Amino acid sequence: YIVTSSSSSPVAGATVTISAQLADANDNPVATSGQTVTWTKSDANGSFASATSTTNASGIATVVFTSHTVSGTATTVTATTSAISGTSASITTVAGTASKYIVTSSSSSPAAGGTVTISAQLADANNNPVSTSGQTVTWTKSDANGSFASATSTTNASGIATVVFTTHTVVATATTVTATTSAISGTSASITTVAGTASKYIVTSSSSSPAAGGTVTISAQLADANNNPVSTSGQTVTWTKSDANGSFATATSTTNASGIATVVFTSHTVSGTATTVTATTSAISGTSASITTVAGTASKYIVTSSSSSPVAGATVTISAQLADANDNPVATSGQTVTWT
């Protein structure tokens, strides 16, 4: 059999007609009808419309063959009737007409605020690359987060356009990118930001205005340059303060699974005292806002006289200052004081 294909380079996934001409040893056509031809192929790629065909009055049998959906796949077809057979030349698939962009990111989980390279590959309906240069690609994104280095790019000789995308500075922000040229487009999978490398501590107090002499809990959250939490455990945090006022329950603490270290801080007993707390691990540190003490709950009067040694029979002024347990003045009006 002399076996030929209606195309030696069909579009991937398209059909061709395979013909098997019965012939003599010198390739002259032999017009014998009714011969059953069995079709086979050199590999698993592609499929026949039927497993067998029958020769017509010209000694020709035909079958429709659907090629593999992947471009660059080479297959040969063999026609067999008993001891008579013949094999076609290679039928090698090529990419079809461009119908989409396959859009990918150099990372699907970049550090928040970092950059990734977005690539848009021109492709046919079966995702085979189409090497067409000079196509202008317009970039858009699914939300307001992040930014492109340029609004458009041009496909290269491989049919690929690229752009640098700067991600949002907040972790867990998911964005998709779409590439468009006229009616052809494609959208990436979600690009979801993660925390970057730890570079600081964000230090907070359970109260910024505690009662003088009272306790607060100081928390130090390990964070990246954009203040996103970094969940690294086992970091030893050393606590220091801006002055001699107040005291820590311990000099050091260790970060938990969320990257947080805590310590109890007892504030100064004098109201109006402002202190900041710093958390440090090697070159990483962070300082709280001011923690300023206020008077506590009134618990006493501080009673004084304008003179402790007045002239006999003279008058003195007695003052009673409402105060907390640490003798800090408590400014509460309207209290009725009974003198004895």
Side-chain angles (χ1 to χ4, degrees):
Y1 282 108
I2 298 172
V3 184
T4 57
S5 171
S6 57
S7 173
S8 61
S9 53
V11 169
T15 60
V16 291
T17 299
I18 306 295
S19 299
Q21 170 68 66
L22 197 58
D24 65 15
N26 292 307
D27 294 341
N28 295 298
V30 176
T32 303
S33 64
Q35 302 296 301
T36 299
V37 175
T38 300
W39 304 102
T40 57
K41 48 196 175 68
S42 56
D43 48 51
N45 301 325
S47 61
F48 297 108
S50 60
T52 62
S53 304
T54 304
T55 58
N56 61 16
S58 299
I60 299 171
T62 61
V63 71
V64 173
F65 178 69
T66 301
S67 63
H68 197 273
T69 56
V70 177
S71 64
T73 302
T75 302
T76 59
V77 172
T78 298
T80 305
T81 300
S82 300
I84 299 172
S85 67
T87 299
S88 70
S90 284
I91 302 163
T92 305
T93 55
V94 297
T97 302
S99 62
K100 67 176 77 172
Y101 281 108
I102 298 172
V103 184
T104 56
S105 172
S106 57
S107 173
S108 60
S109 52
T115 60
V116 291
T117 298
I118 306 296
S119 299
Q121 170 68 67
L122 200 57
D124 65 12
N126 290 306
N127 296 337
N128 295 298
V130 176
S131 301
T132 303
S133 64
Q135 301 297 297
T136 299
V137 175
T138 299
W139 304 103
T140 55
K141 49 196 174 72
S142 56
D143 47 52
N145 302 324
S147 60
F148 297 109
S150 60
T152 62
S153 304
T154 305
T155 57
N156 61 17
S158 299
I160 299 171
T162 61
V163 70
V164 173
F165 179 67
T166 301
T167 63
H168 196 274
T169 56
V170 177
V171 296
T173 301
T175 302
T176 59
V177 173
T178 298
T180 304
T181 301
S182 300
I184 298 173
S185 66
T187 300
S188 72
S190 284
I191 303 163
T192 304
T193 54
V194 298
T197 303
S199 62
K200 66 175 77 172
Y201 281 108
I202 298 173
V203 184
T204 56
S205 172
S206 57
S207 173
S208 60
S209 52
T215 60
V216 291
T217 299
I218 306 296
S219 299
Q221 169 69 68
L222 199 58
D224 65 14
N226 290 305
N227 296 337
N228 295 299
V230 176
S231 301
T232 303
S233 62
Q235 302 297 298
T236 300
V237 175
T238 299
W239 304 101
T240 55
K241 48 196 174 70
S242 56
D243 48 52
N245 301 323
S247 61
F248 297 109
T250 59
T252 62
S253 304
T254 304
T255 57
N256 61 17
S258 299
I260 299 171
T262 61
V263 69
V264 172
F265 177 69
T266 302
S267 62
H268 196 272
T269 56
V270 177
S271 63
T273 302
T275 302
T276 60
V277 173
T278 298
T280 304
T281 300
S282 301
I284 299 173
S285 67
T287 300
S288 71
S290 285
I291 304 164
T292 304
T293 55
V294 297
T297 303
S299 62
K300 67 175 77 173
Y301 281 109
I302 298 172
V303 184
T304 57
S305 171
S306 57
S307 173
S308 60
S309 54
V311 171
T315 61
V316 290
T317 299
I318 305 299
S319 299
Q321 171 66 64
L322 199 57
D324 66 12
N326 290 305
D327 296 341
N328 295 296
V330 177
T332 303
S333 64
Q335 303 296 301
T336 300
V337 177
T338 301
W339 304 101
T340 55

